[in-house]
Amino acid sequence: MAFNPYLQSDLRDVKAQGASVGDIRDYNGQKFRFDGINWIPEGGSSSSASLNTSDPQSYINMALEQFKKASAPAVQSFQAQIPEVQQKFATERERLTKKIEPLKERYDNLISSIKGNQQVAENRQTVATSNELGRRGILADSGVAEQTMTDALNPITQQYTTLAKDAGIAREEDLQNLEGLISDTTTSEVDALRAIKQAIAQLQSGAATSGISTGLNLFSTDRAREDQLKLNALLQEQQRLENEFREKQFNEGVRQFNVSEGRLGQASSGGIESLLSMLGIGNITGGGAQGKYIPEIGKSVVGYLPDGRALYSDGTAGWTHGIKNN
């Protein structure tokens, strides 16, 4: 039988549950000491000490408290992860944010370099074309010279313009990607924190559900155990009273028989019949040696059994003496 410090009973030995004064028992992680009358919680008062065995809500409250204590380490562990997660993502955002300006600077330098190289290339091509036109005797301000110069510079201009444009597009894409990563860290942080909070909520909800179920089960079990103990105690008391009553009946029958036996050699029908009736022996017909004291065996014949054996005053039976006359 499981130990229950809150067992309600008027019988001290039942409430002790086999313990002696000073013995300590454990109940749901709480130590209790028996003082001879009640079970006292060790180490100070316990909120469970207010358990009312007639109130299921008190069992639920006790179970909720125990499950809350049991889940507390896990809840605290999850709660401790919250600032860690926040710091982790804050550090990552800071790292990514610091890349923005250097990235812009590198692209700006690249675009400036492209434009500078374009200018150099165009200048060189202009000089080369002018020299060639001069060797051919074409004046620089002539229409032929201008067209020749334009045709020579256009490929260079287009090439470097395309390079600058591609660099600008790449610059915007890389900056957008970087900003997207920063935004993703915020989203990931929200998701991570939500998962932690959901885990905490599930632990707390599970503790509440288990606490209610366990509390009701404990209440039902304790009530059934208490009812069984009371029933057992009642049956024991009833048996004790019955045994006591039978013993008194027997003693009274013996007393009456002994009084009737005071008349030696004579049968006392009243005392004998009372004793026989108490012993459940009926339909006995007297005769012969019934009621006669037999010195050889030191007892009297008080009746006869159905098989004809004599029933002696000490409760034994035999064939040797006082055979019943038919």
Side-chain angles (χ1 to χ4, degrees):
M1 183 182 297
F3 166 67
N4 178 11
Y6 307 110
L7 181 65
Q8 300 295 308
S9 175
D10 296 330
L11 302 176
R12 187 175 300 180
D13 57 337
V14 172
K15 197 171 184 178
Q17 300 168 82
S20 301
V21 176
D23 285 355
I24 296 177
R25 297 284 189 273
D26 182 87
Y27 184 76
N28 290 337
Q30 171 73 40
K31 300 292 184 181
F32 291 83
R33 180 187 297 273
F34 188 60
D35 65 358
I37 299 177
N38 296 308
W39 287 94
I40 308 301
E42 288 281 285
S45 62
S46 169
S47 60
S48 298
S50 60
L51 184 67
N52 183 352
T53 55
S54 64
D55 181 15
Q57 186 60 48
S58 64
Y59 279 81
I60 292 174
N61 293 340
M62 179 198 68
L64 286 173
E65 178 184 348
Q66 297 300 324
F67 276 100
K68 182 178 179 181
K69 289 180 179 179
S71 63
V75 172
Q76 291 173 357
S77 176
F78 280 119
Q79 290 175 337
Q81 293 179 27
I82 292 177
E84 295 175 357
V85 170
Q86 290 174 329
Q87 181 60 44
K88 171 186 175 182
F89 284 103
T91 300
E92 180 64 12
R93 276 194 298 272
E94 183 179 359
R95 185 184 70 83
L96 294 174
T97 300
K98 288 181 177 180
K99 288 185 174 183
I100 293 178
E101 292 305 321
L103 182 64
K104 288 181 178 180
E105 184 177 353
R106 285 198 298 271
Y107 272 108
D108 289 343
N109 292 336
L110 175 60
I111 293 173
S112 297
S113 176
I114 291 173
K115 290 180 178 180
N117 291 336
Q118 177 183 354
Q119 187 64 45
V120 172
E122 288 177 347
N123 290 338
R124 289 178 177 173
Q125 185 62 45
T126 298
V127 172
T129 302
S130 296
N131 292 335
E132 182 64 25
L133 290 173
R135 283 195 294 271
R136 294 180 182 181
I138 300 174
L139 297 177
D141 56 355
S142 65
V144 175
E146 291 177 356
Q147 185 61 47
T148 301
M149 185 65 70
T150 298
D151 293 341
L153 293 177
N154 273 343
I156 297 174
T157 301
Q158 290 177 358
Q159 178 184 7
Y160 281 98
T161 298
T162 300
L163 289 175
K165 180 181 178 181
D166 292 344
I169 293 174
R171 176 181 182 275
E172 293 304 316
E173 289 179 349
D174 285 351
L175 287 174
Q176 288 177 0
N177 290 337
L178 192 55
E179 290 172 354
L181 291 175
I182 295 173
S183 178
D184 288 345
T185 61
T186 301
T187 302
S188 298
E189 179 181 4
V190 171
D191 292 342
L193 293 176
R194 182 182 294 114
I196 293 174
K197 292 177 181 178
Q198 286 178 345
I200 293 174
Q202 288 175 353
L203 282 172
Q204 294 173 336
S205 174
T209 302
S210 299
I212 293 173
S213 175
T214 301
L216 291 175
N217 289 337
L218 285 174
F219 173 75
S220 299
T221 300
D222 281 358
R223 293 294 295 178
R225 184 184 298 116
E226 181 181 343
D227 291 343
Q228 185 62 52
L229 289 172
K230 288 180 178 179
L231 177 60
N232 292 342
L234 181 62
L235 292 175
Q236 290 175 1
E237 181 65 12
Q238 181 180 355
Q239 185 64 47
R240 184 188 68 79
L241 292 175
E242 289 179 357
N243 292 339
E244 184 178 290
F245 176 75
R246 289 174 181 173
E247 184 179 355
K248 287 181 179 179
Q249 269 192 325
F250 179 79
N251 291 338
E252 178 62 20
V254 171
R255 186 190 69 77
Q256 292 181 9
F257 175 75
N258 288 337
V259 170
S260 66
E261 282 295 296
R263 293 175 286 180
L264 296 175
Q266 298 181 8
S268 178
S269 61
I272 294 174
E273 290 176 0
S274 297
L275 179 61
L276 294 179
S277 177
M278 178 193 70
L279 295 174
I281 302 173
N283 299 324
I284 297 178
T285 58
Q290 181 173 341
K292 180 180 179 181
Y293 180 78
I294 304 175
E296 303 94 282
I297 61 176
K299 61 187 78 173
S300 300
V301 177
V302 298
Y304 298 95
L305 298 177
D307 61 2
R309 288 182 297 159
L311 179 65
Y312 301 128
S313 57
D314 65 350
T316 61
W319 296 97
T320 306
H321 301 282
I323 302 301
K324 179 180 178 182
N325 294 327
N326 294 321

